[in-house]
Amino acid sequence: MNLFIAIKCMALVIIVNLSIQNVIAQSKKASNASELKILEVVDISDKQLQVNVEYNYTGKAGSNDTFIHAIPVASDGKSNFKEVDIEKVPLKSGINQVSLLITKRPKTEAFTSESIKVCMMESRSLILCNEYSFEKSWPNFDLPVKILSFSSSESKVSKGDSVTISWQTENASNVMFGAHGSEKFQQVRKSGSLTVGVDKTTTYTLMVAPMAEKGGPVKMETKALTIDVPIDPVIGRFTGNRSAIRRGQNSKLSWEVYEAEEISLNGEAVTAFGDKIVSPIRTMKYTLEARKGEVIISEDYVVMVTPFGAPALSDPFTSIELCRSVDESGESYRCISSDGPFTSDDKIYAIVRIQNLSKAAHNLKLTTYNSFDGEKWIEVHQENRSLPKRDTDGYLEFKLEVENTGEGKKKLEFILDGNNATKSEIAYCIDCSRMWE
């Protein structure tokens, strides 16, 4: 009997001990449980709610998929995830207070929520939810698209340099970027940057499309910025109608200059497009200079003055030139290497121009004279030439080859149709280049 009582008492003690341990374990588990309390719901606007909560998180913080968020709940008990954007705030260990935003998405259906549910999530598993009764109507609306910024790292660069263009947009569904006037626009991120090379002044455009109803009209927002590439001055042309003249003759200089701030010809200010008749008494170099900022460019044109006087011309002769060769590509003959200096091996050509000449046949007598002192002339060659036939009266231009009679000072005499009143002369020299020095 005593043994039975002893065994019964021992069993009772074991049961009591187990009960005490279970109570302690339940108490400990309750003390480690996370807690959540909704403090306040603030109706910021018809598009947005702010939910202020306090929570106690006893788990391990620091993971991206451990967060707290708030969501509106409709009368049918369904949470409206598609119509709103929710803010997921990472959980922190311990007791914390946080504000959670709920924002209505544009172009989504209007609805009415009857409560706000706040949930704590851990690795896609629900830790705890709490619901707060709060009725709100969420209307349909459009968020205006905005270009918050559109800028470049440099606004003025040199040709071939690169710049970084950056932009920020808001509420955009599509963003396009490209150079103004180009068909090659590219789709880019809603906010970002690109590095582009610039060879000339270029205007870049950012085009932003808002989120819109399918098939509805789209109003693009655009902004433009210009990268300036200063253009250096350019001398497009600087030439003269005669690169060699005789004393007393002239040459007409002409020029075209672009993108210059200041232009000068041998130090004298001139216009960008112009011409000037010059008659130097000795060989002269003409310098055309163009300046823009610190950039200066120049080109030279030399007018050579030969050691002979101008031809002695009588009517109807208007011009006589002597050349080493003749350019026949244009509408009229152009003398190349005018007046030489000639050597005994050169071919010598004369370009002759006569005005008011009848279309009848004409004869030209050419006589070459030689001189050792420039005063006494001795005839060394004579020939007669028939002039080219023409169908009309008027102007005649022709070339002919002149007999090369060797070293010495020369004079070439022209007489038309045996009429001494038409006598015209031009002096030159063979193998006497020292006269140009």
Side-chain angles (χ1 to χ4, degrees), residues 81-94:
F81 284 97
K82 292 183 179 181
E83 285 80 16
V84 296
D85 288 319
I86 60 174
E87 186 178 22
K88 297 179 179 180
V89 178
L91 287 169
K92 297 180 181 180
S93 299

Side-chain angles (χ1 to χ4, degrees), residues 361-424:
H362 296 277
N363 181 70
L364 183 66
K365 184 175 77 171
L366 290 113
T367 306
T368 303
Y369 296 89
N370 198 7
S371 176
F372 293 101
D373 57 10
E375 295 182 2
K376 184 178 180 180
W377 296 97
I378 301 173
E379 181 181 325
V380 293
H381 179 78
Q382 187 180 98
E383 61 180 295
N384 288 287
R385 301 280 184 94
S386 295
L387 297 187
K389 293 182 179 180
R390 297 173 305 115
D391 296 329
T392 59
D393 297 338
Y395 176 81
L396 175 64
E397 177 189 64
F398 60 94
K399 74 164 188 173
L400 53 86
E401 187 173 346
V402 176
E403 184 73 19
N404 189 330
T405 60
E407 181 180 357
K409 296 179 181 178
K410 312 290 178 181
K411 180 174 70 172
L412 188 61
E413 180 185 85
F414 297 79
I415 296 179
L416 184 65
D417 297 330
N419 183 359
N420 287 331
T422 66
K423 184 174 69 173
S424 299

Side-chain angles (χ1 to χ4, degrees), residues 167-191:
W167 62 90
Q168 286 185 318
T169 69
E170 185 177 77
N171 307 322
S173 64
N174 191 29
V175 181
M176 303 294 290
F177 170 85
H180 181 72
S182 170
E183 296 180 357
K184 297 181 180 179
F185 272 67
Q186 58 179 310
Q187 186 171 358
V188 294
R189 298 175 60 183
K190 296 177 183 179
S191 294

Side-chain angles (χ1 to χ4, degrees), residues 4 24 117 124 153 163 168 179 194 239 315 399 407 429:
F4 175 77
I24 293 172
K117 183 188 290 186
R124 298 186 180 180
S153 56
V163 296
Q168 286 185 318
L194 279 176
T239 187
D315 190 55
K399 74 164 188 173
E407 181 180 357
C429 193

Side-chain angles (χ1 to χ4, degrees), residues 154-283:
E154 301 287 342
S155 61
K156 188 176 184 179
V157 297
S158 299
K159 182 179 180 180
D161 285 352
S162 296
V163 296
T164 299
I165 297 178
S166 306
W167 62 90
Q168 286 185 318
T169 69
E170 185 177 77
N171 307 322
S173 64
N174 191 29
V175 181
M176 303 294 290
F177 170 85
H180 181 72
S182 170
E183 296 180 357
K184 297 181 180 179
F185 272 67
Q186 58 179 310
Q187 186 171 358
V188 294
R189 298 175 60 183
K190 296 177 183 179
S191 294
S193 63
L194 279 176
T195 299
V196 295
V198 188
D199 290 326
K200 60 182 181 180
T201 297
T202 306
T203 298
Y204 293 95
T205 302
L206 192 72
M207 299 191 300
V208 182
M211 290 177 275
E213 295 285 359
K214 185 175 181 180
V218 175
K219 182 182 178 182
M220 303 286 286
E221 290 292 322
T222 63
K223 270 194 177 180
L225 63 84
T226 299
I227 308 300
D228 183 29
V229 180
I231 300 175
D232 291 341
V234 175
I235 297 177
R237 181 176 62 87
F238 181 39
T239 187
N241 66 335
R242 303 178 71 181
S243 61
I245 60 173
R246 294 175 172 237
R247 292 193 182 109
Q249 292 183 320
N250 56 52
S251 178
K252 184 178 181 180
L253 307 180
S254 58
W255 59 87
E256 295 176 4
V257 181
Y258 304 89
E259 301 295 335
E261 296 170 349
E262 299 177 10
I263 307 164
S264 63
L265 178 64
N266 281 16
E268 179 185 346
V270 294
T271 59
F273 298 84
D275 56 62
K276 183 176 183 179
I277 294 176
V278 296
S279 183
I281 60 174
R282 62 179 63 87
T283 296

